[in-house]
């Protein structure tokens, strides 16, 4: 098999994994980006002026959604389309990400098909590529831009690829980390002047914000995120990021070596301390320690011998520093920094057996977790439709994620924090619901249980595991691991009737 055939075959494997859940309902943060797309459709210059109830009260998106508007513009044409159309609409970003992976692999002296397979079968890549969030476009712009710049034949092409890399910031502010990274690469490769163009998209975005809103949105979000800088929360985020890396980004098959054992031991100690501080059970502690140790083992694959090694290490260090500044961490936030881990591992020339085991485990785990995430999304969609398609007056609902999308689609309105409920209120207990007026009297209908017997879970209180965050609500539980084993229900939906609306006897 020639080089082109190997690359094509690897890309087809990744495409097959991503298309496995092409009909997945709107889920988790997909909802707020579709809402932002509505803002872009209504006012293309000021998409963040649209209102959304995403933090328990209705606010302007500018004040609560901490992302630039790139994905909103992309989703405008399909915002009212069936779910499978929305997911197919994201495939160009998948193609660009795989193209960039191959280009950067060539620049770093790594087999292109190996890089595509190792990155593309990682659960964080597959599950994120099955979403409607800006994470995949960020990765695509970063990889294509950096890979193109590293392999550009002349200065003109290098400049063009620097602009592509800079466009990552139009989708997530983590894309701003690409700016110093590409400047470093330009310095190493003797193309510093060309690399400076990477800052142009960010500058244009900030100028747009000043004209449209009178304030730079990213700076406004710094204040929004600032409440999470207490010592405990920073430590919580650090260990969660480490465990997410070990459990859903790169399994520690490739970097296994004696020199990495101290990193694994350090990860295990950090996991144990964090889990103990969170009051976990023995099972929850074991899960956290296992994944944090695996994350430490993955970090043990880095070297500092050559300029390329140091470039990858700085890429990773910048990612960790950025993750610690966020309000919370989620596994998919690793995606723009995952290539550093993948290429560092591949530059150690793992054996065919070890590489095959890593890719095989990654692919199987990706399918298992994707199946569970799809079931999680379908549970909320089906519950929302069951409630909204009943006859009678539309009511209020509490809770977010895909639950919010489908309840609003059915004509119901999001509850305002502590609002008085005139008639019906439907609450998804696990989707960060708003609180109603505490003085009210209610009658409760039988609960809708979102049940599943699938044993591998991306959202599990029993295992203290959460792929999409580092907390589980109601009551709040600190989580670190991205997945665990459980057959507990996904959630429970409760419908309440205000006593005022009940007929008097």
């Amino acid at each position: 098999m020639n080089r082109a055939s190997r690359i094509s075959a690897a890309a087809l494997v990744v495409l097959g994994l991503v298309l496995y859940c092409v009909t997945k309902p709107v889920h988790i943060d997909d909802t707020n980006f579709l809402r932002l797309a509505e803002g872009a459709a209504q006012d293309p210059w000021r998409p963040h002026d649209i209102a959304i109830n995403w933090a328990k009260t209705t606010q302007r998106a500018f004040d609560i959604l901490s992302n630039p508007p790139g994905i909103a513009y992309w989703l405008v044409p399909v915002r009212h389309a069936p779910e499978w159309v929305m997911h197919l609409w994201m495939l160009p970003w998948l193609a660009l990400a795989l193209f960039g992976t191959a280009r950067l692999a060539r620049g770093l002296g790594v087999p292109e098909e190996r890089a595509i397979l190792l990155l593309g079968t990682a659960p964080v890549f597959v599950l994120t590529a099955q979403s409607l969030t800006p994470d995949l476009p960020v990765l695509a712009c970063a990889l294509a831009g950096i890979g193109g710049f590293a392999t550009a034949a002349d200065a003109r092409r290098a400049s063009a690829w620097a602009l592509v890399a800079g466009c990552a910031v139009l989708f997530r502010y983590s894309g701003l980390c690409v700016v110093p990274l590409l400047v470093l690469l330009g310095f190493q490769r003797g193309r510093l002047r060309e690399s400076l163009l990477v800052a142009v998209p960010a500058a244009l975005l900030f100028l747009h914000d000043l004209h449209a809103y009178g304030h730079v949105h990213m700076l406004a979000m710094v204040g929004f995120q600032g409440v999470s800088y207490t010592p405990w929360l920073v430590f919580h985020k650090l260990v969660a990021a480490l465990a997410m890396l070990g459990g859903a980004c790169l399994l520690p098959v490739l970097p296994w070596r004696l020199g990495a054992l101290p990193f694994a031991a350090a990860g295990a100690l950090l996991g144990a301390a964090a889990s103990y501080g969170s009051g976990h059970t023995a099972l929850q502690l074991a899960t956290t320690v296992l994944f944090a140790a695996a994350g430490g083992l993955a970090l043990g694959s880095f070297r500092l011998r050559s300029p390329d090694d140091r470039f990858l290490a700085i890429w990773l260090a910048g990612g960790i520093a950025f993750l610690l500044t966020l309000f919370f961490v989620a596994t998919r936030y690793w995606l723009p920094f995952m290539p550093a881990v993948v290429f560092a591992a591949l530059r150690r020339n793992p054996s065919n057996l070890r590489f095959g085991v890593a890719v095989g485990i990654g692919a199987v785990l990706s399918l298992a977790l994707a199946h569970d995430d799809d079931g999680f999304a379908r549970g909320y969609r089906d519950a929302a439709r069951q409630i909204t398609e009943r006859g009678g007056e539309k009511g209020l609902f509490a809770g977010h994620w895909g639950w919010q999308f489908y309840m609003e689609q059915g004509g119901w309105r999001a509850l305002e924090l502590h609002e008085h409920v005139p008639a019906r209120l439907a609450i998804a207990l696990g989707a960060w619901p708003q609180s109603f007026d505490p003085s009210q009297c209610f009658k409760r209908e039988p609960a809708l249980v979102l049940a599943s017997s699938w044993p591998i879970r991306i959202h599990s209180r029993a295992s203290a595991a959460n792929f999409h965050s580092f907390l589980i609500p109601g009551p709040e539980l600190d989580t670190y691991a991205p997945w665990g084993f459980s057959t507990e229900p996904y959630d429970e939906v409760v419908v309440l009737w205000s006593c005022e609306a009940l007929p008097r006897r």
Side-chain angles (χ1 to χ4, degrees):
M1 187 179 290
N2 60 30
R3 171 177 162 271
S5 297
R6 293 195 303 271
I7 293 174
S8 298
L12 286 174
V13 169
V14 177
L15 177 63
L17 292 174
V18 172
L19 290 180
Y20 172 65
C21 290
V22 72
T23 60
K24 184 168 79 171
V26 172
H27 191 35
I28 308 294
D29 287 348
D30 294 350
T31 299
N32 68 49
F33 294 114
L34 288 169
R35 183 61 179 166
L36 199 59
E38 288 290 350
Q42 293 176 19
D43 186 347
W45 192 243
R46 298 175 181 82
H48 279 93
D49 268 350
I50 198 165
I52 183 173
N53 185 327
W54 197 247
K56 303 190 177 182
T57 58
T58 299
Q59 298 170 272
R60 189 173 64 144
F62 186 91
D63 300 319
I64 194 63
L65 300 187
S66 55
N67 291 278
I71 192 65
Y73 294 120
W74 181 261
L75 292 173
V76 165
V78 297
R79 67 191 188 282
H80 299 144
E83 292 94 335
W84 65 269
V85 174
M86 295 183 190
H87 288 297
L88 291 179
W89 188 251
M90 297 295 290
L91 289 184
W93 296 112
L94 175 65
L96 185 61
L98 298 182
F99 167 81
T101 302
R103 287 292 293 261
L104 186 53
R106 192 193 319 166
L108 294 174
V110 169
E112 293 103 318
E113 69 278 5
R114 282 196 166 200
I116 290 172
L117 284 172
L118 192 60
L119 177 63
T121 59
V124 64
F125 185 97
V126 174
L127 268 68
T128 303
Q130 294 171 342
S131 74
L132 306 174
T133 66
D135 303 275
L136 185 61
V138 171
L139 177 70
C141 291
L143 275 173
I146 295 172
F149 186 89
T151 56
D154 53 52
R156 181 179 61 83
R157 294 178 184 178
S159 299
W161 286 118
L163 286 172
V164 172
C167 286
V169 77
L170 304 179
F171 295 91
R172 271 204 187 278
Y173 292 122
S174 57
L176 201 61
C177 296
V178 176
V179 174
L181 192 65
L182 197 81
V183 171
L184 171 63
L185 185 62
F187 175 77
Q188 290 179 336
R189 301 293 175 97
R191 285 182 169 167
L192 180 60
R193 184 174 62 180
E194 293 86 349
S195 71
L196 296 178
L197 289 175
V198 71
V200 170
L204 293 176
L205 177 63
F206 298 159
L207 289 173
H208 160 267
D209 288 355
L210 287 172
H211 183 274
Y213 309 111
H215 193 43
V216 176
H217 182 241
M218 189 191 77
L219 296 180
M221 290 300 100
V222 170
F224 172 73
Q225 304 278 0
V227 298
S228 63
Y229 296 156
T230 64
W232 168 251
L233 280 175
V234 171
F235 180 65
H236 183 187
K237 288 185 288 186
L238 173 65
V239 179
L242 188 64
M244 290 170 179
L245 173 64
C249 293
L250 178 66
L251 291 174
V253 177
L254 286 182
W256 175 261
R257 59 189 184 86
L258 290 177
L261 291 181
F263 291 89
L269 289 173
L270 289 172
S275 187
Y276 180 80
S278 296
H280 283 178
T281 65
L283 173 62
Q284 294 167 340
L285 186 146
T287 304
T288 300
V289 168
L290 174 64
F291 286 121
L297 199 59
L299 297 183
S301 63
F302 283 83
R303 297 182 295 189
L304 301 174
R305 295 177 183 174
S306 70
D308 286 344
D309 290 332
R310 292 189 286 274
F311 172 77
L312 294 174
I314 291 171
W315 192 343
L316 174 77
I320 294 174
F322 182 84
L323 292 176
L324 295 182
T325 68
L326 299 178
F327 184 68
F328 71 95
V329 291
T331 310
R332 67 179 185 275
Y333 292 172
W334 261 112
L335 199 59
F337 314 107
M338 268 301 296
V341 187
V342 168
F343 286 115
L346 289 176
R347 281 171 62 81
R348 289 186 171 273
N349 297 316
S351 67
N352 290 337
L353 175 61
R354 186 175 293 188
F355 174 79
V357 170
V359 169
I361 292 176
V364 171
L365 182 59
S366 290
L367 289 174
L369 296 181
H371 181 83
D372 182 61
D373 203 39
D374 182 65
F376 193 17
R378 289 178 187 277
Y380 283 121
R381 183 199 62 186
D382 295 346
R385 288 180 175 175
Q386 183 175 341
I387 291 170
T388 60
E389 290 174 1
R390 294 175 185 170
E393 182 182 352
K394 306 296 183 183
L396 303 178
F397 69 89
H400 302 293
W401 302 344
W403 162 256
Q404 175 169 350
F405 178 84
Y406 291 105
M407 291 298 288
E408 289 179 338
Q409 197 176 65
W412 286 45
R413 179 175 67 80
L415 177 76
E416 299 296 322
L417 186 65
H418 301 320
E419 180 180 358
H420 186 85
V421 179
R424 280 192 295 177
L425 173 65
I427 308 173
L429 299 178
W432 296 98
Q434 308 89 302
S435 300
F436 49 80
D437 182 349
S439 66
Q440 276 199 260
C441 165
F442 287 99
K443 179 181 178 182
R444 176 172 174 163
E445 292 185 7
L448 294 175
V449 177
L450 281 56
S452 173
S453 59
W454 190 251
I456 300 180
R457 308 301 285 272
I458 52 88
H459 190 272
S460 168
R461 179 174 291 273
S463 297
N466 190 352
F467 192 93
H468 298 293
S469 181
F470 72 156
L471 288 170
I472 289 179
E476 284 192 11
L477 172 69
D478 293 341
T479 64
Y480 301 93
W483 58 274
F485 294 99
S486 174
T487 55
E488 65 199 286
Y490 289 126
D491 200 357
E492 190 172 296
V493 171
V494 175
V495 178
L496 303 178
W497 276 94
S498 171
C499 295
E500 303 165 10
L502 296 175
R504 297 182 182 275
R505 294 183 178 179

